[in-house]
Amino acid sequence: MRRTRLTLALAAAALLVSVGGASAASGWMQVTIAASDATPLACAYLLPAGNPPSGGWPGVILFHGLSGSRADMEMWGAALAKEGIASLACDARGTGGSGGTFGLDGPREVQDARDLFAWFAARSDISDTQIGALGVSVGGGEVWNAAAGGVPFKAIVPVMTWTDLAAGFNPDGVAKAGFLATIFARLHAPWDASIAQARTDLRSEERRVGKE
């Protein structure tokens, strides 16, 4: 029953935001969370009004999209707060106010999701058994990977994302030149050394297709 409620609330939040039914909420508390490798992650959390129920508020960790920030997720948090659900949103590693380098939903981002789950679950006003995740685009990919990697989310809602990144960039062998160009135009974060070659390959493919 609780799983159903959390899943329905996540779906309702997605619908409300998509049709413009929720506005950014005040009351977000800014916090810096140290990842397990000591990288600082710039975050904010929002609690529903009133006193938490016995066992704590159910919670959702919100993951923003490419070239976005935690501020983009405030509308989602506002919608969830109306349903009695707390939210935690952070600038992805290597972007915004967070340290580190951008890993394109790699192993380090999965560990960050695990660290954020642990931080949120440790709060006395949050239920450590009722924490879900919602992610948009790249954030949705992180949600998929984190769930597959064993982060014990109660429910997940990946939005406008992929299950196969290579196929997403290169469907049926045809590179999405426009999408790749957008990545390089908007994403100014330092890329992690582990995906340096992937960045070079993507850049080359974007330029090649652009010339055809």
Side-chain angles (χ1 to χ4, degrees):
M1 183 66 180
R2 289 182 177 179
R3 179 187 294 271
T4 300
R5 176 174 176 265
L6 183 55
T7 302
L8 289 175
L10 284 168
L15 178 62
L16 283 169
V17 172
S18 68
V19 299
S23 59
S26 59
W28 285 87
M29 302 296 293
Q30 308 300 313
V31 61
T32 298
I33 299 174
S36 54
D37 66 348
T39 296
L41 302 177
C43 304
Y45 64 90
L46 179 67
L47 301 177
N51 296 318
S54 176
W57 298 110
V60 174
I61 304 176
L62 304 170
F63 297 87
H64 66 76
L66 188 70
S67 76
S69 73
R70 65 187 187 277
D72 298 336
M73 307 308 291
E74 288 186 353
M75 291 187 298
W76 304 86
L80 289 166
K82 293 177 181 178
E83 300 295 327
I85 298 173
S87 297
L88 172 67
C90 303
D91 289 341
R93 167 178 295 262
T95 71
S98 293
T101 53
F102 177 69
L104 196 60
D105 291 340
R108 189 60 252 179
E109 279 76 13
V110 171
Q111 183 59 49
D112 287 345
R114 185 174 290 108
D115 295 338
L116 294 176
F117 183 98
W119 184 90
F120 211 24
R123 290 184 57 92
S124 62
D125 50 3
I126 301 295
S127 169
D128 60 0
T129 63
Q130 298 290 318
I131 297 176
L134 182 151
V136 180
S137 184
V138 168
E142 184 170 354
V143 168
W144 276 126
N145 288 343
V151 179
F153 294 125
K154 190 70 172 180
I156 63 171
V157 178
V159 180
M160 296 184 295
T161 189
W162 53 75
T163 55
D164 185 326
L165 186 55
F169 282 149
N170 198 45
D172 298 321
V174 180
K176 290 185 174 180
F179 180 58
L180 293 173
T182 298
I183 290 177
F184 293 110
R186 295 183 179 180
L187 186 61
H188 304 295
W191 286 52
D192 190 81
S194 65
I195 59 169
Q197 187 58 52
R199 183 183 190 280
T200 299
D201 293 344
L202 288 171
R203 189 74 175 187
S204 297
E205 186 68 6
E206 179 261 321
R207 289 169 174 166
R208 181 189 68 78
V209 176
K211 291 179 181 179
E212 293 181 353

